[in-house]
Amino acid sequence: MGEPTAVRDAHLHGTSGTGWALGEVIGGILPYALGVAISPIPIIAAILMLLSPQAKGTSVGFLFGWLAGIVVALTAFILLAAVIPDGDPDASQPIAGTIKLLLGVALLLLAWRQWRGRPKAGEAPELPGWMSAIDQMRAGRGFGLAFVLAAVNPKNLLLAAGAGVEIGTAELPVAQVVVAALVFVVIAAITVAGPVIAYLVASERLAGPLESLRAWLVANNATIMTILLLVIGVVLVGKGIAAF
């Protein structure tokens, strides 16, 4: 007897249809995760904490706050996206398409705002006033600051929303939703986690390189954010249009 059609399809697409869908979802959320990861302000804040008198406690608190903020924001948008009515995967998806289109336009507007606010030639880049108080921060305040930067920052909220829509509308089993969310969180947090973990392992050797990295990020913050938001915004607009 010939092999059943469902089995043949499963062999073509991996161990199961949902496995194939999980790969597509992870591929879809990677740009959003990288968008959160390549955020100069929280990286600068983490580096300043690593160079402060309370380096270890404050930076660890900051790292846990950053992770918690990402998890909370992503989970909220996954749950919200999951209530979008199911439809034929081969048909148009106007609701999801409209959400992605609006998110893309919002990111493009943020990119334009970043570019307009960039320092003029010869001007020193301005950093948030709260950074001057980092030397006096302890673990609790570091946690709270990172949570706000991760979960309340408009740029991160838009990126978490984009990833949440990708995951929440994919109709994955709960276990695969957790896997996709974990991939997002790990990638989104790596640029803050990396310096903190490396400093805890080899603090004396990293003081100079961290200061150089901080100076470079301060000087190029506006350009990095403009390019990042522009690219992801265009991708989201394209996905939104394609969903109709």
Side-chain angles (χ1 to χ4, degrees):
M1 293 179 62
E3 189 178 33
T5 301
V7 176
R8 289 200 305 270
D9 289 344
H11 288 168
L12 285 172
H13 299 302
T15 57
S16 68
T18 54
W20 180 257
L22 176 62
E24 289 185 319
V25 169
I26 290 176
I29 65 175
L30 284 179
Y32 309 118
L34 289 172
V36 176
I38 307 173
S39 300
I41 293 298
I43 300 173
I44 293 169
I47 292 173
L48 288 175
M49 289 179 185
L50 292 173
L51 299 175
S52 71
Q54 304 291 333
K56 291 185 178 179
T58 309
S59 61
V60 170
F62 188 85
L63 173 57
F64 280 112
W66 183 248
L67 287 167
I70 294 171
V71 170
V72 168
L74 179 65
T75 302
F77 285 113
I78 290 174
L79 295 175
L80 288 173
V83 304
I84 296 175
D86 296 338
D88 183 349
D90 296 324
S92 63
Q93 298 176 311
I95 298 177
T98 300
I99 293 173
K100 290 178 182 178
L101 191 59
L102 292 174
L103 290 173
V105 171
L107 286 174
L108 292 176
L109 290 174
L110 281 177
W112 177 77
R113 182 181 175 186
Q114 283 283 341
W115 185 248
R116 285 287 305 272
R118 73 192 189 280
K120 303 296 185 292
E123 289 184 354
E126 288 189 18
L127 291 174
W130 51 261
M131 283 193 174
S132 61
I134 282 180
D135 280 354
Q136 286 75 47
M137 285 187 182
R138 295 185 181 273
R141 290 186 64 188
F143 180 96
L145 172 62
F147 186 89
V148 170
L149 289 175
V152 182
N153 178 278
K155 186 267 292 182
N156 280 1
L157 275 178
L158 292 172
L159 293 173
V165 170
E166 291 279 351
I167 298 172
T169 58
E171 301 180 35
L172 296 174
V174 173
Q176 294 190 0
V177 169
V178 173
V179 170
L182 183 61
V183 169
F184 178 89
V185 172
V186 169
I187 295 174
I190 193 66
T191 50
V192 170
V196 172
I197 294 172
Y199 185 86
L200 294 176
V201 173
S203 58
E204 294 181 0
R205 288 179 291 176
L206 286 178
L210 285 173
E211 176 58 33
S212 299
L213 176 59
R214 183 204 64 80
W216 185 86
L217 289 171
V218 168
N220 295 279
N221 173 49
T223 302
I224 294 170
M225 291 306 303
T226 299
I227 296 172
L228 178 68
L229 295 172
L230 179 63
V231 171
I232 298 177
V234 169
V235 170
L236 262 177
V237 169
K239 287 185 176 183
I241 293 173
F244 287 92

